[in-house]
């Protein structure tokens, strides 16, 4: 087990890292984080492991131990191409399953297997089979925030950054003017505004984003004149209608980088603003705080424990994984074709 004492040598070895996150990690916390960060980074090298971290990870994970950071689509792409032997998923369980599905020969670890998701929990493989019986002949577009079992029953996956493109692509391929889109009702409604394809949705919601209201957005504008409002497509359509831009977590990051608003609010999970603020110290971030309790289960000590004990390994039934892989790869192919065009 690693020695986690905060010695002058540890302080010196982590000085530059602390400088990077000083605005968002209180100084008093650093002696707790620093030894764990060093131990994780050493173990990663020793074991040929990579840490894939979602944009909602806390800044000490996101900026100090992650090898790859991004939204769900970027993490899925990276899982498909990494050469590392071990993937530690700093994110929720469906993300770790997606990594395992794309890299069945690798060891995929999740630091806390209880890190779930209200969207993933809202639908089962059996639900999708029933939907297909109810709407025969329509393709099923499934948000990546689902179990491998649900992906296996689907025709293609999507994320919040590619939903409209995926819907149009599969509708064209199947020669239909409607698709089923599960499980996020709000993502489906928001996507429907961007395409002529009819979308039949499911009643799943993200417990973090569903709490934002249009009145909240008006409140931000009143309290912070001139604020630019960026919202995640898992929010209700009324919220998106009040926002200046809607996009995935990485879409928001790109928007901030491109437009450099003086004052901005990211209508999404709390850690996102902390992580982006590190890159843009000159921008004022208004911080509404809706924590994802599932994402917050992932901590530095659990990541260290995961690497030390090689647990908890994510296992997906190979037959389910093979079918789920087709849906995810089909989505990645849509993205690749779009990039090449
Ligand atoms: P993206 O990072 O793909 O925008 O997804 C947000 C989310 O809620 C993942 O759990
Ligand atoms: Fe699921 Fe919402 Fe948490 Fe993302 S933020 S993991 S969609 S509950």
């Amino acid at each position: 087990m690693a020695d986690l004492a905060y010695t002058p040598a540890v302080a010196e070895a982590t000085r530059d890292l602390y400088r990077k996150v000083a605005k968002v990690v209180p100084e008093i916390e650093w002696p707790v984080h620093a030894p764990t960060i060093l131990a994780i980074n050493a173990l990663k090298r020793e074991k040929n492991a990579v840490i894939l971290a979602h944009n909602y990870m806390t800044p000490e994970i996101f900026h100090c131990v992650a090898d790859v950071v991004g939204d769900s689509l970027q993490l899925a792409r990276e899982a498909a191409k990494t050469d590392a032997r071990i993937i530690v998923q700093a994110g929720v369980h469906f993300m770790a399953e997606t990594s395992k599905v794309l890299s069945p020969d690798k060891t995929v670890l999740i630091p806390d297997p209880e890190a779930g998701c209200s969207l993933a929990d809202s639908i089962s493989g059996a639900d999708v089979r029933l939907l297909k019986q109810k709407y025969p002949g329509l393709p099923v577009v499934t948000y990546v925030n689902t179990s491998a079992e649900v992906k296996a029953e689907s025709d293609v996956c999507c994320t919040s950054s590619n939903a409209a493109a995926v819907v149009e692509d599969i509708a064209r391929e199947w020669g239909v003017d409607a698709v089923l889109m599960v499980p996020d009702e709000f993502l489906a409604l928001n996507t429907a505004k961007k395409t002529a394809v009819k979308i039949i949705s499911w009643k799943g919601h993200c417990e973090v984003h569903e709490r934002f209201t249009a009145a909240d957005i008006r409140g931000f504008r009143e309290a912070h004149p001139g604020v630019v409002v960026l919202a995640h497509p898992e929010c209700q359509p009324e919220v998106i209608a009040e926002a200046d831009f809607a996009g995935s977590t990485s879409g928001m990051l790109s928007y901030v980088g491109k437009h450099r608003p003086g004052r901005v609010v990211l209508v999404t999970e709390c850690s996102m603003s902390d992580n982006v603020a590190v890159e843009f110290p000159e921008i004022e971030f208004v911080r509404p705080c809706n924590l994802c309790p599932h994402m917050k289960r992932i901590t530095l000590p659990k990541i260290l424990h995961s690497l030390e004990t090689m647990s908890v390994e994510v296992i997906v039934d190979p037959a389910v994984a093979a079918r789920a892989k087709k849906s995810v790869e089909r989505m990645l192919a849509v993205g690749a074709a779009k990039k090449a065009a």
Side-chain angles (χ1 to χ4, degrees):
M1 293 294 131
D3 174 8
L4 299 178
Y6 187 62
T7 60
V10 171
E12 181 55 33
T14 57
R15 191 179 307 281
D16 288 346
L17 275 179
Y18 186 63
R19 269 201 203 114
K20 195 171 174 197
V21 294
K23 276 191 96 174
V24 290
V25 176
E27 203 172 348
I28 198 167
E29 287 181 12
W30 195 244
V32 177
H33 295 320
T36 315
I37 288 168
L38 278 189
I40 291 171
N41 287 336
L43 259 186
K44 265 186 346 193
R45 284 190 296 273
E46 193 186 298
K47 297 198 169 185
N48 186 18
V50 283
I51 297 182
L52 308 187
H54 187 264
N55 289 329
Y56 294 161
M57 290 294 105
T58 49
E60 67 278 6
I61 295 176
F62 187 91
H63 289 288
C64 302
V65 300
D67 298 286
V68 179
V69 293
D71 66 8
S72 305
L73 181 61
Q74 290 166 324
L75 297 183
R77 282 211 180 102
E78 201 52 39
K81 62 176 201 244
T82 181
D83 289 331
R85 208 171 51 84
I86 299 163
I87 295 173
V88 180
Q89 197 84 35
V92 292
H93 194 264
F94 75 79
M95 295 178 174
E97 272 197 345
T98 306
S99 293
K100 183 66 185 175
V101 158
L102 289 170
S103 302
D105 299 335
K106 300 207 162 109
T107 302
V108 177
L109 304 175
I110 180 135
D112 186 334
E114 300 293 314
C117 169
S118 64
L119 280 169
D121 288 346
S122 74
I123 192 160
S124 66
D127 291 327
V128 181
R129 284 194 293 276
L130 283 174
L131 269 180
K132 287 195 286 194
Q133 274 173 26
K134 190 169 168 199
Y135 299 99
L138 293 189
V140 181
V141 179
T142 292
Y143 194 29
V144 282
N145 294 37
T146 45
S147 65
E149 190 207 358
V150 167
K151 291 183 177 80
E153 294 296 340
S154 309
D155 298 295
V156 64
C157 287
C158 74
T159 71
S160 55
S161 57
N162 63 15
V166 167
V167 163
E168 293 193 343
D169 186 79
I170 196 104
R172 195 167 40 243
E173 188 188 296
W174 282 48
V176 291
D177 57 9
V179 303
L180 299 162
M181 189 171 174
V182 299
D184 189 346
E185 182 184 24
F186 298 146
L187 179 66
L189 289 169
N190 291 323
T191 306
K193 296 213 163 85
K194 296 192 195 162
T195 171
V197 179
K198 183 171 179 251
I199 298 181
I200 299 163
S201 65
W202 183 252
K203 283 268 182 228
H205 297 145
C206 161
E207 67 189 76
V208 175
H209 292 98
E210 74 173 345
R211 278 188 277 149
F212 292 107
T213 64
D216 289 339
I217 311 297
R218 291 193 289 273
F220 299 145
R221 291 198 195 279
E222 249 175 67
H224 308 279
V227 73
V228 172
V229 180
L230 314 184
H232 195 279
E234 289 170 10
C235 294
Q236 306 177 46
E238 302 77 55
V239 171
I240 301 297
E242 297 272 348
D244 297 299
F245 169 82
S248 73
T249 52
S250 292
M252 293 185 201
L253 174 60
S254 311
Y255 183 102
V256 171
K258 193 166 161 207
H259 298 275
R260 308 273 169 144
R263 196 177 239 194
V264 68
V265 57
L266 307 183
V267 183
T268 189
E269 210 269 348
C270 312
S271 290
M272 180 75 197
S273 294
D274 288 342
N275 292 331
V276 183
V278 167
E279 313 282 347
F280 301 100
E282 74 287 5
I283 296 178
E284 184 195 337
F285 286 82
V286 173
R287 295 167 198 241
C289 212
N290 274 0
L291 272 176
C292 173
H294 312 291
M295 290 279 183
K296 290 312 149 324
R297 282 181 173 272
I298 308 300
T299 60
L300 284 175
K302 286 186 195 168
I303 293 174
L304 179 58
H305 184 257
S306 188
L307 275 166
E308 281 175 340
T309 59
M310 294 298 285
S311 65
V312 172
E313 190 174 351
V314 176
I315 308 286
V316 181
D317 176 311
V320 171
R323 292 171 64 216
K325 192 174 182 195
K326 281 193 189 157
S327 300
V328 180
E329 282 180 337
R330 204 188 176 298
M331 165 185 84
L332 296 176
V334 174
K338 230 184 139 200
K339 262 195 186 159

